[in-house]
Amino acid sequence: MNVPVYAAFHEWLGRGPQLQPMWDAWKAGDREAATKSVPDEVIDDLIVHGSPAEIREKLARYAANGVTTPAPAVLAGADDARRLLAEIAPGASAGT
């Protein structure tokens, strides 16, 4: 979010006040403070995370709003990724 064009995009979205502390820390060279200062609500807006049911529900909202090809990037080992993808697939039950 520190690349100028992406920072400008976030400002356009209205996130400037939320991200200013992160940008200031980054420009000062304090990468640790910059990382820690990204608000949870921004992370929640940008990253799909949570239980399989929560992930499935958020992806369903994307589809309901016009996303036709969701392509989640699962940060896990191969076996865990396969299990999670099965659990978040449309129609999967909460217990799988």
Side-chain angles (χ1 to χ4, degrees):
M1 291 186 287
N2 294 297
V3 175
V5 70
Y6 197 42
F9 174 65
H10 282 283
E11 284 189 80
W12 178 80
L13 290 172
R15 290 192 179 115
Q18 291 175 293
L19 295 176
Q20 193 62 55
M22 185 267 303
W23 290 326
D24 292 343
W26 190 267
K27 286 176 186 169
D30 191 344
R31 305 304 191 239
E32 185 176 343
T35 303
K36 288 179 180 179
S37 66
V38 178
D40 288 344
E41 57 269 14
V42 171
I43 300 297
D44 292 342
D45 286 347
L46 299 174
I47 307 293
V48 177
H49 62 95
S51 70
E54 291 167 330
I55 294 170
R56 188 172 46 253
E57 188 259 319
K58 190 161 189 179
L59 292 176
R61 284 197 315 263
Y62 288 162
N65 284 290
V67 173
T68 58
T69 309
V74 178
L75 303 177
D79 291 339
D80 288 336
R82 279 190 285 278
R83 178 187 50 74
L84 180 63
L85 288 169
E87 291 177 352
I88 66 174
S93 67
T96 60

